[in-house]
């Protein structure tokens, strides 16, 4: 009998482990696609010449897709075939990725803004004349008439970003069933004490997705967008330039393929599994094992009959509103949702614009910023998640212990985040924008400050951004505005000579030449950046340590029959109010700190080329720190409520035990107690 009883247990575990491995892979795949989307934000912004606020709307379309279907998927999906629904979701996500890449094949070659003076390439030693008294550059400042502009925009495909918006929305729709159905399926059929460890394993494998996503983003950010279609020798910009666009489209083809592969195992998994360790719970029964087996067999048959009845849409829909009412009467669940909501606002805003923050504050290239996040921050997050899960399992912490771990991690990461706001480099020195042509700091900027006596006779466009770095360490907005008289070389090797504005700041006879691109930041900026990254990595680890414990607090505070609905509603609310607005309002506020806007091919304002670093830092870090402070305050209130609820339940259980041990009078007393608190039990948690 002992040999026979082991066989179904092994089969159960093997199927559960297959589901665990499949869910871990799909978590990896969806995180891979999501992280690549985040890493491509800068490239998409530049390719379609759109401001940060609009890129925030595109980024938020993922959550909009979630919003459309999450409530129905999480509630009705729990009654249907959960693994197959996850497989369908993966297929939809894959289609979304391919749709995002589509505009690249419809648009013409990328044309970055550049000064007319050096766009022609001759082999002569002195070809282009940057400072020349013709009016072709000044004419470029004039807005073309509406008809010409409409025709130009149609040719340039400027509205193609809509495909990216719709594709990202499809990704959101497809991702919907994975978390609520996957986690509830796992929690339903695994041992209670194993759930935290399994969740930690899934999230740890899942965190490899963002690592690979950011690393792929970093690699493709160095490859020119039209690779294979244009002669790279003619390109005058490199991957460090704010006009550079990497091969963003290629990554979405890769991620779409990986997500498609991840859907395959879910088509072969059963609708339900026996509970892990079912035999152990049966052994506690006073009945014989054979009788228990027979009862289980008959019970399973009855369950199948019962399951077929409520699958009708009308029956499910009728129970939906009462279930929601029961769920939101749970004050611990409601407060947890609010806490998550505030924290996610800060996290989404931070992760969306962190590469841009590192680029503007510390002078890092977009590809390097993405690479460092992928290679340093994300492994720290993975280690933190597995550490949190291990601590729960090793010390067998209950809800109170899990809440303590989570709030400690939250406070610790907040302190490190607050310190990061004070670590920064000075503004980039750009003549006429952040610093005067004489080298004095400039309080305010307007287009007229780009003009000076040294470039007055050059007929320069004040809209173009074509930066050059002079030997005096100052960046100029264009060779013309630097007053450069001649140039030698072609493409990226072009050098500009006899720059009158450069000569003003230098002693006579010193080299007054300039080369293409912005000047690097001061040497101490690299040291400051390393300190910032160290704090960022440690903060990521500490914050991630509280992830799994916080999730367990959420799971244990919900009625078992409402688990899938609760996880779905949590995802719906947090994604709707915590995922859609932050990229938009963060982007809009960041746009206000822009000093130099780019110019679209057809005229009009394009993407921002240069930000006021100090204003950017105060806006960005101020918002993130404020939101995390509020979430910590809510966590403190939540912890107090959990402790009170736990004490109340402990007293109730003690009274119940005493009543069972007593006489009939005691039993009556116990019944009165239970009846009195029945509503409480429905309202609150099953902690």
């Amino acid at each position: 009998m002992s040999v026979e009883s082991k066989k179904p247990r092994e089969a159960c575990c093997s199927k559960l482990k297959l589901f665990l491995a499949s869910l871990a892979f799909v978590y990896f795949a969806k995180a891979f696609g999501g992280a690549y989307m985040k890493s491509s934000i800068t490239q998409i912004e530049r390719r379609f010449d759109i401001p940060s606020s609009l890129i925030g709307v595109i980024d938020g379309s993922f959550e909009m897709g979630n919003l459309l279907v999450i409530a129905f998927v999480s509630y009705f999906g729990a009654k249907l075939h959960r693994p197959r629904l996850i497989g369908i979701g993966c297929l939809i996500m894959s289609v979304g990725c391919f749709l995002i890449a589509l505009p690249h094949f419809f648009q013409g070659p990328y044309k970055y803004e550049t000064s007319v003076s050096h766009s022609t390439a001759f082999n002569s030693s002195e070809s282009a004349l940057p400072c020349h008294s013709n009016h072709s550059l000044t004419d470029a400042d004039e807005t073309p008439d509406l008809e010409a502009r409409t025709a130009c925009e149609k040719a340039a495909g400027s509205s193609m970003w809509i495909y990216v918006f719709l594709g990202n929305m499809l990704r959101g729709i497809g991702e919907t069933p994975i978390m609520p159905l996957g986690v509830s399926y796992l929690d339903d059929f695994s041992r209670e004490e194993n759930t935290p460890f399994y969740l930690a394993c899934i999230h740890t494998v899942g965190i490899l997705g963002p690592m690979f996503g950011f690393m792929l983003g970093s690699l493709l950010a160095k490859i020119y967008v039209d690779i294979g279609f244009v002669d790279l020798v003619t390109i005058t910009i490199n991957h460090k330039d704010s006009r550079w666009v990497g091969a963003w489209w290629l990554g979405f083809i890769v991620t779409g393929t990986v997500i498609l592969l991840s859907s395959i195992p879910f088509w072969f998994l059963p609708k339900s599994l026996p509970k892990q360790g079912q035999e152990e719970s049966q052994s506690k029964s006073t009945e014989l094992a054979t009788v228990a087996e027979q009862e289980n067999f008959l019970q399973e048959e009855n369950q199948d009959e019962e399951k077929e009845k409520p699958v009708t849409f009308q029956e499910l829909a009728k129970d939906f509103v009462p279930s929601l009412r029961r769920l939101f009467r749970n004050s611990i669940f409601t407060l947890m949702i609010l806490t998550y909501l505030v924290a996610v606002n800060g996290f989404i805003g931070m992760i969306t614009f962190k590469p841009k923050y590192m680029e503007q504050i510390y002078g890092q290239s977009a590809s390097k910023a993405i690479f460092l996040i992928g290679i340093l921050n994300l492994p720290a997050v993975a280690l933190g998640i597995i550490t949190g899960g291990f601590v729960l399992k090793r010390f067998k912490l209950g809800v109170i212990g899990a809440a303590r771990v989570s709030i400690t991690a939250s406070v610790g990461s907040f302190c490190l985040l607050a310190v990061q706001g004070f670590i920064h480099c000075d503004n980039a020195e750009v003549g006429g924008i952040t610093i005067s042509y004489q080298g004095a700091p400039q309080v305010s900027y307007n287009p007229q400050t780009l003009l000076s006596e040294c470039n007055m006779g050059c007929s320069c466009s004040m809209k173009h951004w074509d930066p050059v770095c002079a030997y005096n360490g100052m960046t100029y907005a264009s060779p013309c505005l630097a007053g450069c008289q001649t140039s030698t070389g072609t493409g990226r090797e072009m050098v500009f000579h006899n720059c009158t504005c450069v000569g003003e700041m230098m002693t006579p006879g010193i080299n007054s030449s300039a080369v293409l691109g912005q000047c690097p930041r001061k040497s101490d900026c690299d040291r400051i950046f390393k300190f910032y990254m160290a704090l960022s990595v440690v903060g990521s680890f500490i914050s991630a340590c509280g992830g799994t414990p916080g999730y367990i607090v959420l799971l244990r505070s919900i009625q078992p029959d409402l688990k899938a609905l609760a996880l779905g509603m949590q995802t719906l609310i947090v994604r709707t109010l915590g995922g859609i607005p932050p990229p938009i309002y963060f982007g809009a506020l960041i746009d206000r700190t822009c000093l130099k806007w780019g110019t679209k091919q057809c005229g009009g304002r394009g993407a921002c080329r240069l930000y006021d670093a100090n204003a950017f830092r105060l806006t960005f870090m101020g918002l993130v720190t404020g939101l995390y402070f509020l979430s910590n305050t809510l966590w403190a209130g939540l912890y107090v409520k959990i402790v009170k609820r736990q004490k109340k339940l402990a007293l109730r259980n003690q009274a119940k035990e005493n009543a069972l041990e007593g006489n009939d009078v005691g039993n009556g007393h116990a019944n009165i107690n239970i009846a009195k608190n029945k509503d409480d039990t429905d309202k609150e948690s099953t902690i």
Side-chain angles (χ1 to χ4, degrees), residues 91-155:
L91 288 178
I92 295 170
M93 283 180 74
S94 181
V95 171
C97 288
F98 295 138
L99 184 61
I100 292 171
L102 207 59
H104 172 75
F105 302 99
F106 293 153
Q107 284 180 303
Y110 172 56
K111 293 180 181 177
Y112 53 89
E113 60 172 315
T114 181
S115 304
V116 178
S117 54
H118 70 85
S119 60
T120 54
F122 297 106
N123 291 325
S124 59
S125 59
E126 294 194 4
S127 55
L129 300 173
C131 177
H132 191 63
S133 299
N134 61 51
H135 294 280
S136 61
L137 293 173
T138 310
D139 293 342
D141 284 347
E142 295 174 9
T143 306
D145 62 80
L146 186 63
E147 191 177 334
R149 185 170 173 176
T150 306
C152 177
E153 284 179 354
K154 192 175 180 182

Side-chain angles (χ1 to χ4, degrees), residues 58 162 198 270 328 457 544 623 675:
I58 292 171
I162 293 169
Y198 287 160
F328 284 101
L623 262 177

Side-chain angles (χ1 to χ4, degrees), residues 94-230:
S94 181
V95 171
C97 288
F98 295 138
L99 184 61
I100 292 171
L102 207 59
H104 172 75
F105 302 99
F106 293 153
Q107 284 180 303
Y110 172 56
K111 293 180 181 177
Y112 53 89
E113 60 172 315
T114 181
S115 304
V116 178
S117 54
H118 70 85
S119 60
T120 54
F122 297 106
N123 291 325
S124 59
S125 59
E126 294 194 4
S127 55
L129 300 173
C131 177
H132 191 63
S133 299
N134 61 51
H135 294 280
S136 61
L137 293 173
T138 310
D139 293 342
D141 284 347
E142 295 174 9
T143 306
D145 62 80
L146 186 63
E147 191 177 334
R149 185 170 173 176
T150 306
C152 177
E153 284 179 354
K154 192 175 180 182
S158 61
S159 60
M160 288 286 184
W161 60 265
I162 293 169
Y163 284 91
V164 182
F165 178 89
L166 293 174
N168 204 33
M169 184 178 279
L170 273 182
R171 281 185 58 248
I173 292 170
E175 197 258 1
T176 305
I178 294 169
M179 194 281 290
L181 301 188
V183 172
S184 63
Y185 188 92
L186 188 69
D187 195 46
D188 284 347
F189 304 120
S190 65
R191 285 194 194 93
E192 190 174 312
E193 66 269 20
N194 285 346
T195 303
F197 186 68
Y198 287 160
L199 286 176
C201 289
I202 288 169
H203 286 296
T204 304
V205 174
I207 209 69
L208 295 174
M211 282 175 61
F212 280 88
F214 275 96
M215 287 169 73
L216 180 65
S218 174
L219 174 67
L220 296 179
K222 290 184 180 179
I223 300 172
Y224 190 64
V225 61
D226 293 316
I227 182 80
F229 298 96
V230 296

